Amino acid sequence: MKRRRVVLGAAGVVLLGLALLGSGDGPLADLVDAAVTALGNDYLFLVAIAAGGLVVASAMVVSGRSGNLRQARMPDPERPVAVPTPGAGFDDRIGSVRFGLPVVGDSTRESVRERLRTSAVDVTMRSEGCSREEAERMVADGRWTDDPDAAAFLSGSNPASFPELLGAGLRGETPSQRRARRTAEEIVARAPGARGDG
């Protein structure tokens, strides 16, 4: 493309030189006079010069179109990677239909209960500064928390009362779902550092 522009520019300079230098005396004037004689009159010579300039200008305009430009292409930007939010798996599990079913969901509820119980024991050990055995006893008898829902979920032996059934139903949950969610919230709240105590 650059070579074509140089050629077109040189042709334009030659035509301009002929137009300027051919009007006086000298070898170019003789050449212009010969061209005028060959064409018949000086108006046709000017038309030929103007046509040549028009061709050069048109070629320059066409070569400068944006479609003829070559530019470096930037690489595609990196896209953010979607990662699940913390606790999304837990929310999905306790929100599943299976978790809420009375008999079919027993194994799922027990699996969640065991994981929460382990976490509750660990949190109690750290927050109370006691041994694992003492923390296990506190979790088993519900002394690890003041939340009755959390204590009842980990003990697994306290059936839901009618008011609890009604309250959970109004929130669109089963008592097990509410207790599991409250247990997880209590574990997080009691974790060292969660209350800004380091």
Side-chain angles (χ1 to χ4, degrees):
M1 181 187 302
K2 187 175 180 182
R3 184 169 37 184
R4 183 172 38 172
R5 285 182 171 226
V6 169
V7 169
L8 291 174
V13 168
V14 168
L15 289 174
L16 184 62
L18 283 175
L20 293 177
L21 298 177
S23 62
D25 294 331
L28 281 179
D30 295 339
L31 183 62
V32 170
D33 288 340
V36 168
T37 303
L39 291 174
N41 63 37
D42 53 350
Y43 292 113
L44 290 178
F45 178 74
L46 291 176
V47 168
I49 293 289
L54 185 62
V55 168
V56 169
S58 300
M60 292 294 285
V61 168
V62 170
S63 69
R65 289 183 308 173
S66 62
N68 294 333
L69 296 177
R70 293 183 189 167
Q71 297 177 342
R73 183 176 177 186
M74 298 296 290
D76 292 335
E78 294 183 12
R79 298 183 186 277
V81 178
V83 295
T85 56
F90 176 79
D91 290 341
D92 290 344
R93 195 154 191 187
I94 69 167
S96 68
V97 175
R98 185 179 179 89
F99 188 86
L101 293 177
V103 177
V104 178
D106 283 349
S107 63
T108 305
R109 280 191 298 277
E110 190 54 40
S111 171
V112 170
R113 182 178 290 119
E114 192 54 40
R115 292 185 67 184
L116 290 176
R117 184 179 291 125
T118 301
S119 297
V121 168
D122 291 342
V123 163
T124 302
M125 284 173 53
R126 281 182 268 154
S127 63
E128 301 296 328
C130 62
S131 66
R132 176 167 292 279
E133 292 75 19
E134 178 61 21
E136 288 173 347
R137 282 192 292 271
M138 291 175 71
V139 169
D141 60 21
R143 286 182 293 135
W144 72 284
T145 178
D146 295 331
D147 188 320
D149 289 329
F153 184 73
L154 292 187
S155 69
S157 60
N158 189 4
S161 63
F162 179 74
E164 187 180 0
L165 281 169
L166 184 61
L170 291 175
R171 286 185 294 273
E173 297 176 318
T174 65
S176 297
Q177 289 170 327
R178 175 173 169 73
R179 287 177 171 182
R181 184 173 51 78
R182 295 285 304 151
T183 303
E185 290 171 353
E186 183 67 10
I187 289 170
V188 171
R190 294 178 57 85
R195 293 170 291 191
D197 56 358

